[in-house]
Amino acid sequence: MIVDQAVYRDGKRMSCGDLSDELERLATSKANDFLWIGLKDPTEREFALVQDELRLHPLAVEDAITGNQRTKIELYDDTIFVVLKTLSYTEATSQVETGEIMLFVGPHFVLTVRRGEHSPLSAIRRSLEHTPELLEHGPVAVLHKVMDEVVDQYERIDSELAEDLTQLEQRVFDPDLSVDVMQLYSLKREVLEVRRAAQPLVEPLKRLIHSRHVPEDAAPFFRDVNDHLLRVVDHVEAYDRLLTDVLSAHLAQVSVQQNNDMRKISAWVAIAAVPTMLAGVYGMNFERMPELTASFNVGGSEFYYGYFVILAVMISACVGLFVAFKRSGWL
């Protein structure tokens, strides 16, 4: 559906009448006057209202109607078609939410298509309307502002991910804290979301800067956006590599801890095996075992000490094994 439309003359907003009439007037007006139409989640029928009037390329229209496209910039004659992934960071869950903005930029028009709830086009439009000196540069000013705001959001999320990664890294290597491996995978997935949004934009943006669609005086501003974008991409790739290393270190720690636990279990099993073996042997109903009937006379009473000797052997064997395992580090 159309959420906003207006004509901008000399950087000032004007009401928009019939689309055909406005485009005809703009074709004979000053070069930087333009029409800006904003759509949100348009259907094919709604898009058809503007498609023919703006003479949009059918392949670009198909992408805009379908949605969920890869980040890209396509050049069709005098029209630029841009697909941008917008990102939003949720503090409570440390999750990155994804939206989508598509722009058709022509000589006298800008058509923006928003999908999802994480695409701040209304705020961008208000900001531009408060700075008419920027709107005087025409549709290319809108394109720059949208791309600049999207990349700035990438940088803000970059900072949040860096902080999350630092905290997680400290927890992994702190013996007093435990880390759920799902936290590592979750953060790695969020980094991947940012990477999918930012990295595919690098090369198309370079081509756009050197194309005839960007005026020479506007190129430095787009190069600045590209510099910020490259910084985010470099950081995200570093985060991805570091997370892989942290995950490997965490899995190695878990493996070492499991080995230590198995050594302790084995040591205790070995210690318990001695009394178990002796109890198994002497617990049989054997009749001819002298140590079981060994005794001496105390005050006219017979004292059988064989069982105490066996018990002492058990205790001394267990203590000996315990000391040996303790010294070797198994316990």
Side-chain angles (χ1 to χ4, degrees):
M1 63 177 179
I2 297 179
V3 293
D4 196 1
Q5 62 179 6
V7 174
Y8 294 87
R9 300 182 185 276
D10 297 323
K12 298 178 182 178
R13 179 180 177 123
M14 305 289 182
S15 60
C16 179
D18 181 75
L19 190 58
S20 299
D21 294 340
E22 292 292 353
L23 289 172
E24 186 177 346
R25 281 193 289 267
L26 287 170
T28 59
S29 66
K30 298 175 69 173
N32 291 334
D33 292 346
F34 65 98
L35 167 70
W36 186 352
I37 302 174
L39 303 178
K40 182 180 185 301
D41 299 322
T43 63
E44 186 173 356
R45 182 178 179 181
E46 291 170 339
F47 214 99
L49 298 175
V50 297
Q51 176 181 352
D52 293 335
E53 295 291 344
L54 301 180
R55 299 178 182 177
L56 304 178
H57 196 282
L59 292 177
V61 171
E62 181 181 353
D63 289 344
I65 294 174
T66 305
N68 195 25
Q69 300 296 311
R70 189 174 184 268
T71 301
K72 61 181 178 180
I73 299 176
E74 298 286 353
L75 306 179
Y76 299 105
D77 296 329
D78 292 332
T79 303
I80 308 171
F81 176 58
V82 181
V83 179
L84 300 173
K85 293 294 184 182
T86 59
L87 302 176
S88 175
Y89 183 82
T90 304
E91 187 72 33
T93 60
S94 296
Q95 289 185 339
V96 176
E97 304 292 339
T98 305
E100 190 174 53
I101 292 178
M102 299 182 184
L103 296 95
F104 295 83
V105 181
H108 292 287
F109 70 87
V110 175
L111 173 63
T112 54
V113 181
R114 178 164 65 95
R115 293 190 178 277
E117 302 301 325
H118 308 287
S119 308
L121 281 177
S122 57
I124 293 174
R125 188 188 284 252
R126 287 196 300 270
S127 175
L128 283 170
E129 288 175 353
H130 283 88
T131 52
E133 62 275 11
L134 293 179
L135 286 174
E136 288 180 358
H137 293 280
V140 71
V142 177
L143 176 60
H144 169 264
K145 182 66 175 179
V146 172
M147 297 185 74
D148 186 52
E149 182 60 35
V150 169
V151 173
D152 283 349
Q153 182 64 11
Y154 291 171
E155 289 190 296
R156 288 189 283 270
I157 294 176
D158 176 13
S159 300
E160 296 287 353
L161 291 177
E163 184 177 348
D164 289 345
L165 180 56
T166 300
Q167 295 176 355
L168 195 57
E169 187 179 13
Q170 291 174 346
R171 293 186 63 184
V172 167
F173 294 103
D174 190 335
D176 297 328
L177 297 176
S178 61
V179 175
D180 185 355
V181 70
M182 287 303 299
Q183 293 177 292
L184 289 168
Y185 278 116
S186 177
L187 184 55
K188 194 171 179 65
R189 186 170 58 249
E190 305 311 323
V191 169
L192 182 60
E193 287 288 344
V194 179
R195 187 176 184 178
R196 285 174 176 170
Q199 192 173 47
L201 185 60
V202 174
E203 290 302 321
L205 182 53
K206 288 181 181 178
R207 291 197 300 269
L208 176 65
I209 293 171
H210 295 96
S211 71
R212 61 183 176 83
H213 296 79
V214 174
E216 187 176 346
D217 58 345
F221 297 95
F222 283 91
R223 281 197 293 268
D224 180 66
V225 174
N226 190 54
D227 289 341
H228 293 183
L229 180 64
L230 287 172
R231 183 163 59 244
V232 171
V233 171
D234 288 343
H235 289 175
V236 168
E237 289 179 348
Y239 298 156
D240 188 50
R241 291 192 298 268
L242 183 56
L243 274 169
T244 299
D245 294 340
V246 170
L247 180 59
S248 299
H250 176 66
L251 294 177
Q253 284 182 326
V254 171
S255 180
V256 169
Q257 184 61 44
Q258 288 176 340
N259 289 338
N260 289 336
D261 292 342
M262 288 302 299
R263 288 169 59 184
K264 290 180 181 180
I265 293 172
S266 300
W268 284 113
V269 168
I271 293 172
V274 174
T276 301
M277 180 189 67
L278 293 175
V281 173
Y282 287 97
M284 300 294 182
N285 293 323
F286 296 140
E287 296 180 357
R288 298 178 182 270
M289 291 184 125
E291 61 271 23
L292 295 179
T293 58
S295 64
F296 57 85
N297 189 284
V298 180
S301 299
E302 200 72 20
F303 178 73
Y304 294 91
Y305 61 86
Y307 289 104
F308 294 99
V309 172
I310 295 170
L311 183 60
V313 171
M314 288 183 181
I315 294 174
S316 61
C318 291
V319 170
L321 286 173
F322 178 82
V323 172
F325 285 131
K326 193 72 174 177
R327 288 177 177 175
S328 66
W330 281 47
L331 289 175

